[in-house]
Amino acid sequence: MRRRFVPSHYQRDLHNKLQRLTQGSRSVDEYYKEMEVSMIRANVMKDREDTMAHFLHGIHSDIRDVVELQNYVELEDLEHQASKAEQQLKRKSAMRRSSSNFHSPGWKDKNKKEGGSSSRNPNVTTKKSK
């Protein structure tokens, strides 16, 4: 039945999709689920280490840098730690954005409020030529 209704390139396309799969704009959890579904569809049975390496390679580098410092044995542990790292990085990013909105004015801003500075001294008058 499969030979009759499923195109010959279908299995190859599924393998290629799995090979190219990365986190992209998805969350770690969404990427993990997509990887699991892709592996089931492609009927891929990788050993635990290969699967974890594939997952680790596909997540964003800033998350990977945090997770690589952790100890993990199972893919589920790796996914959980990556998800926690992603949440932590989002919190830090949000804090940086909110703190930048409340910065104190710098010397340039103060100078503008006080009338600005120019290369001319306002106390010095210049003579106009006749």
Side-chain angles (χ1 to χ4, degrees):
M1 183 132 163
R2 191 172 278 205
R3 275 184 269 155
R4 183 174 179 187
F5 295 107
V6 178
S8 59
H9 59 83
Y10 179 73
Q11 197 69 20
R12 187 174 351 148
D13 291 346
L14 290 175
H15 281 275
N16 287 335
K17 180 183 175 187
L18 179 61
Q19 281 298 110
R20 290 188 312 268
L21 187 63
T22 58
Q23 183 181 357
S25 62
R26 296 176 261 236
S27 70
V28 169
D29 294 330
E30 291 169 335
Y31 166 64
Y32 175 72
K33 288 174 187 170
E34 180 71 24
M35 189 177 119
E36 279 188 319
V37 168
S38 295
M39 287 178 67
I40 291 168
R41 285 185 181 153
N43 198 23
V44 172
M45 298 296 176
K46 291 183 177 184
D47 75 341
R48 182 178 68 191
E49 292 297 322
D50 285 343
T51 305
M52 288 191 292
H54 187 108
F55 176 80
L56 200 56
H57 178 74
I59 59 178
H60 293 292
S61 60
D62 52 349
I63 298 170
R64 184 181 326 120
D65 292 345
V66 173
V67 172
E68 284 178 331
L69 299 174
Q70 307 298 319
N71 187 20
Y72 53 88
V73 178
E74 298 294 330
L75 180 60
E76 290 76 19
D77 298 334
L78 177 59
E79 186 270 336
H80 181 68
Q81 290 176 0
S83 184
K84 283 176 31 180
E86 179 182 49
Q87 291 169 0
Q88 182 183 41
L89 290 168
K90 282 182 181 178
R91 278 194 310 269
K92 285 182 180 179
S93 176
M95 287 179 67
R96 269 188 251 126
R97 278 185 299 213
S98 67
S99 68
S100 68
N101 291 337
F102 298 108
H103 76 282
S104 61
W107 65 271
K108 289 182 180 180
D109 294 336
K110 286 179 185 176
N111 198 14
K112 287 179 184 176
K113 288 179 184 177
E114 293 171 358
S117 71
S118 64
S119 59
R120 294 186 328 159
N121 187 341
N123 296 329
V124 176
T125 57
T126 57
K127 292 183 180 180
K128 293 184 181 179
S129 53
K130 293 183 182 180

